[in-house]
Amino acid sequence: MNKPSENYAGRLSAAYPELGFDPVNIEKVFSPEYFELEREKIFKKVWLRVGRNEDIPNHGDFMVKEFEFANTSVVITRDQNGEVNAFHNVCTHRANRVAYTETGNAPRGFTCRFHGWNFGLDGKLNFVPEAGLFPTLDTRCAGLPPVSVDTWEGWIFVNLDPSPKETLREYLGELADGYPGFFDDKTKVATLTIDAKANWKIFLDAFVETYHFAFVHQLSAAAVITSPDNPYGYMDAARMYDRHRVISARSNPNHTPSPAEAVVGKLGGHQTLAPDLAAAATRQLPPGLNPQGLDDWATDIIVIFPMTNIQPLDGWYVTQNYWPISHNETRWEMTIYMQPAQTASHWMAQEYNTAYIRDVVREDLNNLEMIQQNLEAGILKEMHFGDQEIMIRHSYKVVDDYVKG
Amino acid sequence: MPQLPKEFKSLQPFAPEWALATREARYHKRISSSMEEIKAYYDAVLPQLDAMVEHLNRHSIKNLAAEDKNLLRMAFSAIEISRSVEVWNAPDNVVHGAYPAEKIKVHTLPYEQAL
């Protein structure tokens, strides 16, 4: 682990001189006051990824998302025309909730359990018991309060701003055309969640560089990323956009799978963290993936501002959302998507990835709570982000631009 | 006692302890076992893992017989303990301060219902 790194110094940052190399001041950015600004100027204003079309495939399907940062609960529905709708989960009569489970199917819409007002899947107020009691009620104006909703490549996004400044497509900008169809033929395998004591940015920062693999994941995932030629897991093809960002991670081309990993890889279609590079080389990737054509490509880390991370690998992918709960608490949500199982060996690959990823992220998570404790102690005034941490440097700049904007 | 297909009768003595239906149960079994117990199962199951999966692949996953379900559970347990033997030489993750797995909620996988 002593290969000189001079050749690498500044290679990612050179194209982004405005991000600089100086230490970044952190005295304010984890405070409750700063979080208030993030809530108002970011989380209540931008498009947020909440799920996929397949989460609510059929007429009447719905899911409820709790947005602690906005003190609101949002219902997302599939209506009789196949359209996706979103509403605040609040009855317009006397403000009770109308949907009470995380997911479900309600072909007849939502009936408030307080006084039985019924709302359609399109949010319209359909029925008021004893409507004559409300002589001036205009039912056309008393539907569930709408939330802006749109989809991209099968992903459902909502925006809590009553009149969003941009369409979802405008918001996604450079990312919008990069991944046609890539996400469509995979299926949700597992979702891992925790509520942990760390600011949402600390979570985001932990999953956008592979510089930590040689240390945090020394015994686990380092084997598939680092190699004698790349001992610190250097990444490439950094693309810093106006607010989103993408980077390509390399794999260890000489990784020797463990005995169990070898069986799962061979029979499960190589949907593990260690790609079958020979097979991968023959595959046609969408234009946004591996744009530099790395022959040892492992994954692209796509960060959709502010807190969505999507990681396509060869034939499967992992997503994360870091939902802020408060200035020092985050709901971490990781979902693994893989090829739908045709055989038991595909189930083996799904089980392997779920158990393996669970054990690998355990190595990340404890660090994050320690970092949060240290930040709250207020000892450090600044942090250092190196060339390989350009994704983090960019993130703090974009957040700060929004907060000050 | 959970029965295995006759081709895998050499694993039958391990079935009561390792043919477990859920990941939580398999993880719990892993961390509550000694390394000797884990190693004994690993040494017995790994050489047959290929054959086990090939056997299961010959059947429709929509309609696995009871003994094939048990075999699949045995294979999943092999995956669960593989890192104990291959990486940590200990039942659980030895990385200092590794976050407790119990705190991570793993939402049901599609095949858990089929099992």
Side-chain angles (χ1 to χ4, degrees):
Chain A
M1 300 263 274
N2 53 6
K3 198 148 175 116
S5 59
E6 288 77 34
N7 294 340
Y8 285 84
R11 66 186 274 174
L12 300 181
S13 308
Y16 303 98
E18 68 280 9
L19 294 176
F21 276 107
D22 294 336
V24 171
N25 187 284
I26 54 157
E27 287 172 278
K28 296 199 175 74
V29 300
F30 301 109
S31 66
E33 296 75 22
Y34 198 83
F35 181 64
E36 282 304 308
L37 295 168
E38 290 175 336
R39 275 159 43 123
E40 294 305 323
K41 296 193 168 189
I42 299 173
F43 290 101
K44 290 162 89 168
K45 296 287 183 206
V46 304
W47 291 96
L48 304 169
R49 184 189 66 109
V50 292
R52 278 194 70 72
N53 270 330
E54 300 91 274
D55 294 333
I56 47 169
N58 303 312
H59 169 218
D61 287 348
F62 70 90
M63 55 184 175
V64 175
K65 292 285 168 183
E66 303 298 329
F67 292 145
E68 281 91 347
F69 58 84
N71 296 318
T72 193
S73 163
V74 172
V75 191
I76 300 130
T77 70
R78 176 83 56 188
D79 68 24
Q80 54 276 26
N81 302 316
E83 298 294 320
V84 179
N85 307 278
F87 314 98
H88 290 281
N89 189 2
V90 55
C91 177
T92 49
H93 174 216
R94 282 169 58 189
N96 194 22
R97 287 190 175 192
V98 296
Y100 310 104
T101 55
E102 231 173 281
T103 57
N105 181 270
R108 295 179 183 191
F110 304 96
T111 302
C112 177
R113 64 184 175 197
F114 202 175
H115 304 88
W117 286 34
N118 176 273
F119 300 86
L121 294 162
D122 54 2
K124 287 199 185 101
L125 175 54
N126 284 337
F127 178 71
V128 175
E130 298 297 299
L133 295 169
F134 302 90
T136 63
L137 175 69
D138 182 350
T139 54
R140 290 168 305 178
C141 301
L144 294 173
V147 171
S148 296
V149 64
D150 203 352
T151 60
W152 167 74
E153 293 295 342
W155 298 108
I156 301 169
F157 286 73
V158 300
N159 190 325
L160 295 176
D161 187 342
S163 28
K165 307 282 176 292
E166 300 162 288
T167 64
L168 173 59
R169 204 179 163 75
E170 289 163 350
Y171 181 72
L172 291 169
E174 298 86 345
L175 299 180
D177 296 318
Y179 312 96
F182 179 83
F183 305 108
D184 287 345
D185 57 348
K186 284 85 174 175
T187 191
K188 183 188 281 191
V189 166
T191 300
L192 288 66
T193 60
I194 56 162
D195 289 0
K197 279 281 183 191
N199 182 274
W200 69 275
K201 299 190 289 295
I202 296 301
F203 261 90
L204 174 65
D205 300 351
F207 294 95
V208 293
E209 43 88 357
T210 47
Y211 176 41
H212 71 284
F213 273 54
F215 304 95
V216 174
H217 307 308
Q218 193 170 11
L219 295 177
S220 57
V224 297
I225 295 289
T226 63
S227 64
D229 288 337
N230 188 11
Y232 292 102
Y234 282 130
M235 303 189 291
D236 261 302
R239 287 149 279 163
M240 304 300 113
Y241 299 125
D242 283 351
R243 50 205 146 192
H244 315 299
R245 62 203 75 102
V246 189
I247 200 161
S248 299
R250 295 169 173 278
S251 61
N252 171 10
N254 299 314
H255 171 60
T256 307
S258 77
E261 186 185 7
V263 174
V264 171
K266 183 180 64 174
L267 297 171
H270 291 283
Q271 300 177 80
T272 61
L273 285 185
D276 175 356
L277 292 172
T282 66
R283 264 189 271 288
Q284 187 72 40
L285 292 176
L289 284 185
N290 189 18
Q292 202 162 300
L294 302 171
D295 55 9
D296 53 1
W297 180 74
T299 180
D300 277 8
I301 300 171
I302 305 164
V303 174
I304 300 176
F305 180 77
M307 48 30 129
T308 283
N309 177 331
I310 299 181
Q311 264 186 264
L313 299 100
D314 182 34
W316 62 292
Y317 64 93
V318 178
T319 68
Q320 298 175 72
N321 267 12
Y322 316 100
W323 293 107
I325 295 173
S326 66
H327 75 286
N328 62 3
E329 196 176 5
T330 299
R331 174 158 307 133
W332 172 77
E333 200 178 79
M334 173 182 271
T335 305
I336 303 167
Y337 294 84
M338 296 172 65
Q339 312 284 343
Q342 308 294 331
T343 61
S345 54
H346 293 146
W347 275 350
M348 289 284 285
Q350 295 181 358
E351 180 68 18
Y352 180 87
N353 279 353
T354 304
Y356 178 89
I357 289 174
R358 174 203 63 203
D359 280 334
V360 171
V361 296
R362 290 172 60 202
E363 299 165 0
D364 294 291
L365 294 172
N366 203 48
N367 282 355
L368 308 188
E369 294 195 334
M370 283 195 281
I371 291 168
Q372 179 66 36
Q373 284 176 9
N374 274 338
L375 292 171
E376 291 186 18
I379 311 295
L380 294 187
K381 308 296 179 212
E382 53 190 30
M383 289 206 283
H384 302 268
F385 303 131
D387 185 59
Q388 282 288 314
E389 293 157 312
I390 188 170
M391 297 276 277
I392 304 175
R393 184 177 288 277
H394 183 251
S395 170
Y396 282 85
K397 178 175 189 305
V398 178
V399 168
D400 206 51
D401 287 349
Y402 264 84
V403 161
K404 290 182 174 143
Chain B
M1 177 191 281
Q3 293 299 316
L4 301 180
K6 60 180 182 322
E7 297 91 320
F8 299 98
K9 61 173 191 253
S10 68
L11 293 175
Q12 188 62 51
F14 295 97
E17 291 201 60
W18 294 100
L20 300 167
T22 67
R23 185 173 317 91
E24 286 68 32
R26 294 187 289 271
Y27 173 77
H28 185 76
K29 172 67 182 161
R30 179 183 107 188
I31 59 167
S32 60
S33 298
S34 69
M35 245 352 253
E36 289 68 33
E37 291 165 321
I38 289 173
K39 193 74 171 43
Y41 181 52
Y42 181 91
D43 288 343
V45 73
L46 247 285
Q48 302 204 53
L49 195 56
D50 248 312
M52 290 161 72
V53 181
E54 307 251 19
H55 169 92
L56 291 166
N57 279 354
R58 289 198 286 275
H59 298 81
S60 163
I61 53 174
K62 293 199 179 78
N63 199 11
L64 284 180
E67 52 193 34
D68 288 332
K69 283 185 185 176
N70 289 330
L71 190 68
L72 185 61
R73 292 167 178 171
M74 297 285 281
F76 283 173
S77 281
I79 286 173
E80 183 64 55
I81 59 152
S82 63
R83 284 173 303 285
S84 305
V85 176
E86 295 169 355
V87 183
W88 305 311
N89 194 27
D92 201 14
N93 197 329
V94 294
V95 170
H96 179 70
Y99 204 76
E102 294 84 348
K103 283 196 189 174
I104 303 177
K105 266 191 248 166
V106 182
H107 297 252
T108 312
L109 305 188
Y111 53 79
E112 289 187 327
Q113 280 137 19
L115 281 176

